[in-house]
Amino acid sequence: MPNLDICFSPDLLPLYDLRGRIAVVVDILRATSSIVTALAQGVAHLVPVETLEECRALATQGYLTAAERDGVQAEGVDLGNSPFGYLDGVVPVQGRCVAITTTNGTRAMHLSRAADEVVVGAFLNVGAVADFLRQQGKDVVVVCAGWKGQFCLEDTLFGGALAARLAQDFDVTSSDATLAALDLWEKASPNVAAYLLKSAHVRRLNRLEAHKDMEFCVRQDEYDLVPVWRNGEIVSL
Ligand code: 3SL
């Protein structure tokens, strides 16, 4: 039976061997939720880059640019990191390609490159990701983007939700990290939005008046798509 493990922070990745495994990178608030939403709204592909300079440079190749630092949209780009940037129609996104850089989410993706496959996970597509992982039958590591190396409740909850859905098909009991995430999910799942009100990131987003983003990002199974990062591009399978 394949194993499902959880890495609580990208800074812990040196302790994990991702080779031969699938990495599910998750940054519920908000990078991976925004990436899933972008693809659902018809974005052709996204290129996750590490620096603002790389992101802005891709504009010359026709890319829309999306960039966030410390929760705020960077200067001189088309979009920030809110999923509503892809939904509100202010910037038409259908058929466009997007260069994206965020404080933690795109960093976690780059640090997960050793995996056989890098999958983008969010509550918005958790069921589709679970189905994909079942089909692949490989060991999985959920890579939580966290916040500047620190543990985050919301990404851990996603790990617990995914483990709960895969409990029949994967070993979800060998890793204490997965067991902890499952326990947390059991406590929070009756009302994820209410549970997350106490989290550091929700308090941070509320200060930025982005509370509706959190309410959107905790919706489960909104989109039936599995984004994978292949050949430098995040595409929907
Ligand atoms: O760090 C990130 O990748 C972002 O998702 C953080 S924020 O939600 O835009 O503040």
Side-chain angles (χ1 to χ4, degrees):
M1 197 181 250
N3 179 265
L4 188 148
D5 204 350
I6 299 180
C7 174
F8 289 136
S9 158
D11 290 28
L12 294 173
L13 275 173
L15 304 176
Y16 293 74
D17 185 1
L18 294 183
R19 290 170 302 176
R21 294 171 162 184
I22 297 177
V24 178
V25 176
V26 57
D27 184 8
I28 292 298
L29 300 172
R30 298 164 287 175
T32 57
S33 300
S34 291
I35 290 169
V36 170
T37 305
L39 291 167
Q41 298 311 308
V43 164
H45 71 254
L46 299 98
V47 174
V49 294
E50 293 183 82
T51 66
L52 292 170
E53 292 69 31
E54 288 171 275
C55 185
R56 292 191 186 109
L58 282 168
T60 61
Q61 294 176 34
Y63 279 80
L64 284 175
T65 50
E68 163 276 336
R69 287 294 179 270
D70 291 327
V72 178
Q73 179 170 337
E75 279 184 25
V77 296
D78 303 302
L79 295 154
N81 195 28
S82 170
F84 289 101
Y86 301 94
L87 291 164
D88 62 15
V90 173
V91 178
V93 298
Q94 170 82 37
R96 299 293 304 272
C97 301
V98 177
I100 183 169
T101 181
T102 70
T103 311
N104 304 289
T106 52
R107 174 175 179 261
M109 291 189 64
H110 280 269
L111 290 171
S112 301
R113 269 180 305 207
D116 278 13
E117 185 93 89
V118 177
V119 172
V120 177
F123 283 121
L124 297 169
N125 70 338
V126 59
V129 169
D131 289 344
F132 174 76
L133 297 174
R134 255 186 231 106
Q135 287 159 16
Q136 300 302 304
K138 281 190 180 180
D139 287 346
V140 171
V141 179
V142 176
V143 180
C144 299
W147 181 262
K148 297 185 179 178
Q150 296 192 1
F151 174 94
C152 265
L153 280 173
E154 64 276 8
D155 298 340
T156 306
L157 284 183
F158 169 86
L162 187 66
R165 293 200 188 210
L166 291 172
Q168 305 305 317
D169 314 283
F170 280 73
D171 172 3
V172 296
T173 58
S174 294
S175 145
D176 278 10
T178 309
L179 289 171
L182 277 165
D183 278 0
L184 208 58
W185 176 244
E186 195 178 317
K187 188 168 169 58
S189 56
N191 190 340
V192 180
Y195 181 85
L196 283 177
L197 285 178
K198 61 187 168 193
S199 73
H201 202 86
V202 169
R203 284 183 274 126
R204 197 176 301 118
L205 287 178
N206 285 348
R207 284 197 292 276
L208 299 169
E209 296 178 0
H211 186 74
K212 69 176 182 158
D213 286 21
M214 183 274 273
E215 289 178 337
F216 180 75
C217 293
V218 299
R219 289 194 206 165
Q220 291 175 55
D221 301 320
E222 194 76 10
Y223 301 124
D224 185 20
L225 61 88
V226 180
V228 293
W229 186 31
R230 289 182 182 166
N231 306 315
E233 298 176 356
I234 306 171
V235 293
S236 178
L237 284 182

